[in-house]
């Protein structure tokens, strides 16, 4: 039997315990809104808002840890949200990504004069939405979480009101995001029409007991859900908004979108597919197979053609959505664990890389080219070393967390005998060497163009900590992945397929 | 009874919305088409709720709230872009491309 505390989620007290992290984040978002409205003129006021945010994220993480170690699990079918290790592991990744984003923003906001007092409040609201996406055990909860996150991030993308690029990024993200939400919602409606419920577990029970495996409405609903999620996680062919939006948004927001939004999207997608639609697994496995393969290949090939580092990282982020989809394609518990591990590694490495970019660039960093980093190793050896770790990890070089993550994904794929997909993944990684390695070569092997060429590289204060911590964790998880992997496996194992209780079992209750 | 026609009408409305988003170039018109899609889905929910119980009708209220929030943020973004570009034609808003 499962040990730990049983939580009755039909009772308000049970829900209050289960939702502690979300409640903390929401209250903090309101507090920061009030604080920002009250005082936002000086540097100190903005720093205060940032530190309140950091404390809230830390406290929320503490309550996630509390739920984890108490081993809370729901009694019966959880109505709207659930408590399980998968949710808590995803929440940890999301909160870590948000925490690093705030630390990175501290100096960036001042340097770029992004004096919008609502910045941190919006960040917290987006985090609340993400947590609900990871926690939702009902399609409606997941949809509302997704909308809370998306609406906040639309504003964040356009937070730099002086920048035309930022405004354009916000507009594109908004239009495509709302378009995607409509698809997702239609998918929910058709699923509801076919099964009469929006609860993930009950959908699966209905599909099994009414034998809806080839019901047209259900399969259409599944298809529309996949399109909606495909847009949100930027999978090819639904990725066309991503490069422009990542490119135009302020760099910390880009990092937040690449890490947090993607992690939350995948957490929700994994739960929906593995809980509600596990009985029609062959259908979505086929679809994910193609999505993953095309995303990996196309993302990496187009990234090769980019000279602009920010845009290159945007395409690299699309390619990484492909790797994560590949982890999900087998539809197994091992795949879900690999998804969590790679999600953690990806959050660390992408935030690290964007932190260097934010420090090295100016005016939105849009124009920073590979050659602009020539000779960086001579002038700023630590920054160059950290960036090298991030890029090698993104590439999947042995000794980094990125390698272990890809290794686990490959294991999951090969276990499910999808050998071709494994070959595609390895080939895509080889292609990606073509754009990660030139950056490292430029930093270490080319001379700096002039004596003061890297004087403007500013990685100060908290951003330094982000670089140090992410680089050390990536190497640590690369050579000693067991601790993180154990957590990921516990998280993944919560998504094992659940059969509808047969008539006999019903009688026993 | 009326379920089948209602579902067909909402599917047609949804398709019109998709076509509008893909074919029109004005940001506000595209946004209106997205709203059309959302309302098509609302119609689906209400029609289904006739047979499946009130849950579908509850969803409609959530969707209306979400659509209102999206409209508030979206129109603010549109005003923001108009101040920069003096146009809402997506064909002319293409600083970021490639």
């Amino acid at each position: 039997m499962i040990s730990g505390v049983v939580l009755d989620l039909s009772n308000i007290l049970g829900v209050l315990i289960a939702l502690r992290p979300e409640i903390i984040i929401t209250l903090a978002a309101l507090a920061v809104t009030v604080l920002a409205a009250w005082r936002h003129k000086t540097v100190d006021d903005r720093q205060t808002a940032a530190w309140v945010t950091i404390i809230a994220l830390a406290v929320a993480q503490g309550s996630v840890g509390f739920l984890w170690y108490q081993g809370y699990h729901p009694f019966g079918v959880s109505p709207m949200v659930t408590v399980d290790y998968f949710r808590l592991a995803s929440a940890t990744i999301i909160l870590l990504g948000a925490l690093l984003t705030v630390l990175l923003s501290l100096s960036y906001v001042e340097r770029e004069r992004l004096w919008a007092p609502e910045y941190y409040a919006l960040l917290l609201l987006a985090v609340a939405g993400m947590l609900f996406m990871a926690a939702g055990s009902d399609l409606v909860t997941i949809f509302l979480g997704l909308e809370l996150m998306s609406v906040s991030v639309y504003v964040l993308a356009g937070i730099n009101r002086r920048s035309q690029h930022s405004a354009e990024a916000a507009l594109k993200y908004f239009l495509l995001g709302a378009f995607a939400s409509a698809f997702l919602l239609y998918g929910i409606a058709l699923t509801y029409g076919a099964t009469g419920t929006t609860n993930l577990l009950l959908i699966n029970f209905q599909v099994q007991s009414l034998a809806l495996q080839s019901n047209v409405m259900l399969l259409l609903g599944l298809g529309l859900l996949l399109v909606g999620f495909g847009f949100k996680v930027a999978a090819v062919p639904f990725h066309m908004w991503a490069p422009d939006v990542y490119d135009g948004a302020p760099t910390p927001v880009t990092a937040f979108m690449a890490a947090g939004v993607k992690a939350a999207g995948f957490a929700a997608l994994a739960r929906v597919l593995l809980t509600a639609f596990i009985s029609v697994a062959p259908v979505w496995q086929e679809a994910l197979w193609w999505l993953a393969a095309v995303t990996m290949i196309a993302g990496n090939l187009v990234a090769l053609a980019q000279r602009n580092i920010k845009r290159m990282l945007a395409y690299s982020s699309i390619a990484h959505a492909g790797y994560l989809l590949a982890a999900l394609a087998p539809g197994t518990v091992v795949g879900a664990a690999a998804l969590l591990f790679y999600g953690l590694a990806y959050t660390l490495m992408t935030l690290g890389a964007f932190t260097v970019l934010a420090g090295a660039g100016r005016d939105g960093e849009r124009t920073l080219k590979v050659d602009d980093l020539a000779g960086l190793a001579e002038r700023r050896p630590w920054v160059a070393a950290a960036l090298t770790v991030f890029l090698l990890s993104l590439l999947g070089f042995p000794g980094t967390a990125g390698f272990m993550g890809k290794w686990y994904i490959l294991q999951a794929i090969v276990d499910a005998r999808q050998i071709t997909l494994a070959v595609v993944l390895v080939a895509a990684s080889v292609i990606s060497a073509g754009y990660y390695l030139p950056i490292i070569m430029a930093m270490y092997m080319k001379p700096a163009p002039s004596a003061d060429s890297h004087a403007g590289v500013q990685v100060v204060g908290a951003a330094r900590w982000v670089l140090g911590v992410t680089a050390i964790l990536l190497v640590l998880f690369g050579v000693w992945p067991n601790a993180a992997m154990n957590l990921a496996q516990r998280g993944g194992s919560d998504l094992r397929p659940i059969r509808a209780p047969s008539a006999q079992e019903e009688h026993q209750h | 009874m009326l379920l089948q026609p209602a579902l067909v009408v909402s599917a047609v409305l949804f398709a019109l919305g998709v076509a509008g988003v893909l074919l029109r170039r004005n940001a506000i018109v595209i946004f209106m088409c997205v709203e059309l899609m959302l309302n098509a889905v609302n119609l689906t929910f209400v029609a289904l709720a006739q047979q499946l119980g009130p849950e579908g009708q509850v969803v409609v209220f959530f969707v209306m709230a979400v659509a209102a929030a999206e409209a508030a943020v979206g129109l603010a973004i549109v005003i923001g872009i108009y101040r920069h570009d003096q146009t809402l034609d997506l064909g002319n808003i293409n600083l970021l491309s490639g």
Side-chain angles (χ1 to χ4, degrees), chain A residues 138 140 143-144 147 151 154-155 161-165 167-172 174-175 178-179 181-183 185-186 188-189 192-193 196-198 217 244 247-248 311 315 366, chain B residues 7 10-11 14 18 21-22 27 30-31 34 37-38 41 44-45 48-49 52-53 55-56 59 62-63 66 70 73-74 77-78 81 83-85 90 93-98:
Chain A
D138 191 296
V140 176
F143 174 73
L144 290 176
E147 283 302 312
V151 170
Y154 300 150
V155 184
R161 295 193 39 211
R162 284 182 306 278
S163 159
Q164 201 172 350
H165 296 105
E168 199 176 312
L171 182 71
K172 284 188 177 164
F174 166 70
L175 289 177
F179 187 54
S181 298
F183 275 98
L185 193 66
Y186 204 24
I188 295 174
Y192 168 70
T197 174
T198 50
M217 205 182 210
D244 290 356
D247 196 1
R311 220 173 161 79
Y315 278 105
R366 298 194 52 262
Chain B
L7 289 185
S10 59
F14 191 85
V18 174
V21 171
L22 296 178
I30 291 178
F31 180 54
V34 170
M37 290 164 75
L38 288 178
V41 179
T44 310
F45 269 117
L48 290 168
L52 300 172
E55 199 184 354
V59 178
F62 283 129
V63 175
V66 162
E70 265 184 0
V73 165
I77 289 173
V78 166
I81 198 113
R83 284 198 181 139
H84 279 295
D85 292 359
L90 289 193
I93 304 174
N94 50 9
L95 282 173
L96 306 159
S97 60

Side-chain angles (χ1 to χ4, degrees), chain A residues 40 46 105-120 156-163 166 249-253 364-365:
Chain A
H40 54 263
R46 289 187 289 272
S105 305
L106 274 171
S107 53
Y108 187 89
V109 165
E110 295 305 325
R111 196 194 73 197
E112 296 290 321
R113 296 183 293 124
L114 287 182
W115 295 330
E118 64 276 21
Y119 182 83
Y120 296 109
L156 281 175
I159 198 92
N160 188 354
R161 295 193 39 211
R162 284 182 306 278
S163 159
S166 186
T251 303
V253 178
E365 301 75 50

Side-chain angles (χ1 to χ4, degrees), chain A residues 122-136:
Chain A
L122 286 167
L123 206 76
L124 279 171
L125 284 174
V127 171
M130 290 171 186
L131 293 180
F132 274 113
M133 283 174 79

Side-chain angles (χ1 to χ4, degrees), chain A residues 332 467 488:
Chain A
T332 57
L467 279 196

Side-chain angles (χ1 to χ4, degrees), chain A residues 233-235 262 266 292 295-296 316-326 346:
Chain A
V233 302
K262 203 159 281 189
F266 271 103
T295 307
M296 287 190 286
S316 143
S317 155
I318 294 174
H320 278 80
Y323 302 142
L324 291 165
L325 282 169
Y346 173 68

